[in-house]
Amino acid sequence: MATRALITGITGQDGSYLAELLLDKGYEVFGLVRRSSSENFERIAQIQDRITLLSGDLMDEVSLINVLRESRPREVYNLAAQSFVQTSWSQPVLTSETTALGVTRMLDAIRIVDPEIRFYQASSSEMFGRVRAIPQSETTEFYPRSPYGVAKVYGHWITVNYRESYQLHASSGILFNHESPRRGLEFVTRKVTNGVARIKEGHSKELRLGNLDAQRDWGFAGDYVKAMWAMLQRDEPDDFVIATGETHSVRELCEVAFAAAGLNWENHVTIDSAFLRPAEVDLLVGDPSKAQEVLGWKCDVDFYGLIEMMVAADLDALRS
């Protein structure tokens, strides 16, 4: 019988790549979706007939218990969250309810229904915020700088707490920024690559951005979901930083993206203070050595290949 997995946030970037990976490995895949939302199924359209979508909500523990009883998964991947940092400033309470307390509700539902279920929590490099060390590893102190980062710290520690208190196989992946052609347009990488495509095709003339000096550790989402799966195959649960170990600025992102379309970024990028965050995080760059050694994980797509892939996909989408 095929191994069963439940993915929350299956319609998101990571959820869609993870669902494809698990299907390729012969899994039976279930996805949690909110009944009331105007959920966008575009990212999973190509596999929708091969997965089972179940209605539930991280705000409602009873619905999670029912979904677990119906799907009987061996593995649960909790990828659902209010995941956009900027939105967390305007919706801090909603962000806390889903991104923080939603983790507790899912862990508690697992404890009640089947404590043998293996659980993956999507932690985030935003937990490091005002960084206490460079690069950041599993032992680096957290100092979140947004309501989103604060909520993720809660989700991370409640996962550790349930692991230690109830002996759940619960692991967290502290994922640094990971992008793809499926990334939402509100994220700076996709905003840039989509902006490049629109300028190249004559749909717009300029791209308005905030802090060009912000530096991030950007990897390919398709590589990162392999690490999630690897964590749940281990005998012992643990926490892992998943990152490239390299950092690049938004300015460099612009240089690479515009160059991929044969354009000079300086002719098109305008700084707009409206896009500056109330509190910016510092130099986020992860140390993935533990994941490389223990999980045998590595990045197959580098920063340049990633941005060129995204520009090509956005150009194709505009031309089709």
Side-chain angles (χ1 to χ4, degrees), residues 11 37-38 130-131 174 190 199-200 212 215 220 224 234 239 247 298 300:
T11 59
S37 75
S38 53
R130 181 182 280 173
V131 300
I174 306 173
R190 184 74 199 294
I199 290 167
K200 180 70 174 178
L212 295 188
Q215 296 195 328
F220 173 48
Y224 284 40
R234 298 184 68 244
D239 305 322
T247 186
K298 67 181 195 310
D300 292 321

Side-chain angles (χ1 to χ4, degrees), residues 122-135:
S123 288
S124 166
S125 60
E126 289 287 332
M127 301 190 304
F128 295 119
R130 181 182 280 173
V131 300
R132 313 321 269 167
I134 297 171

Side-chain angles (χ1 to χ4, degrees), residues 110-312:
I110 288 171
R111 180 183 67 80
I112 290 165
V113 175
D114 179 5
E116 294 301 307
I117 290 171
R118 297 186 171 200
F119 176 78
Y120 171 83
Q121 166 60 11
S123 288
S124 166
S125 60
E126 289 287 332
M127 301 190 304
F128 295 119
R130 181 182 280 173
V131 300
R132 313 321 269 167
I134 297 171
Q136 295 90 49
S137 74
E138 293 79 7
T139 56
T140 303
E141 183 186 349
F142 299 138
Y143 195 136
R145 296 272 280 166
S146 65
Y148 171 77
V150 172
K152 279 292 186 186
V153 169
Y154 175 97
H156 181 85
W157 281 118
I158 200 69
T159 301
V160 172
N161 188 258
Y162 268 68
R163 176 167 78 215
E164 295 178 350
S165 303
Y166 301 112
Q167 286 69 58
L168 294 188
H169 193 298
S171 297
S172 285
I174 306 173
L175 270 59
F176 280 67
N177 295 62
H178 46 290
E179 319 297 313
S180 76
R182 300 178 192 174
R183 193 56 143 152
L185 287 168
E186 68 271 25
F187 292 88
V188 69
T189 44
R190 184 74 199 294
K191 180 179 177 180
V192 168
T193 62
N194 181 66
V196 166
R198 291 181 58 79
I199 290 167
K200 180 70 174 178
E201 292 300 294
H203 296 292
S204 58
K205 288 190 169 60
E206 69 166 2
L207 176 63
R208 305 183 78 83
L209 295 170
N211 181 10
L212 295 188
D213 295 318
Q215 296 195 328
R216 294 290 184 275
D217 182 329
W218 280 300
F220 173 48
D223 287 339
Y224 284 40
V225 298
K226 295 174 186 172
M228 300 176 185
W229 176 80
M231 286 177 218
L232 296 201
Q233 310 318 306
R234 298 184 68 244
D235 292 337
E236 296 297 322
D238 204 350
D239 305 322
F240 294 90
V241 163
I242 306 300
T244 69
E246 293 179 9
T247 186
H248 300 273
S249 67
V250 175
R251 181 177 284 101
E252 192 178 353
L253 164 66
C254 290
E255 286 171 11
V256 175
F258 278 91
L263 301 169
N264 182 345
W265 73 277
E266 292 178 282
N267 298 336
H268 303 285
V269 173
T270 305
I271 305 298
D272 186 339
S273 60
F275 294 113
L276 296 174
R277 291 184 187 175
E280 180 59 88
V281 300
D282 304 313
L283 179 56
L284 286 175
V285 55
D287 174 4
S289 54
K290 179 179 171 182
Q292 290 166 348
E293 290 161 20
V294 177
L295 302 177
W297 177 81
K298 67 181 195 310
C299 284
D300 292 321
V301 178
D302 70 4
F303 172 74
Y304 304 98
L306 169 66
I307 302 308
E308 286 160 10
M309 173 206 303
M310 291 174 68
V311 171

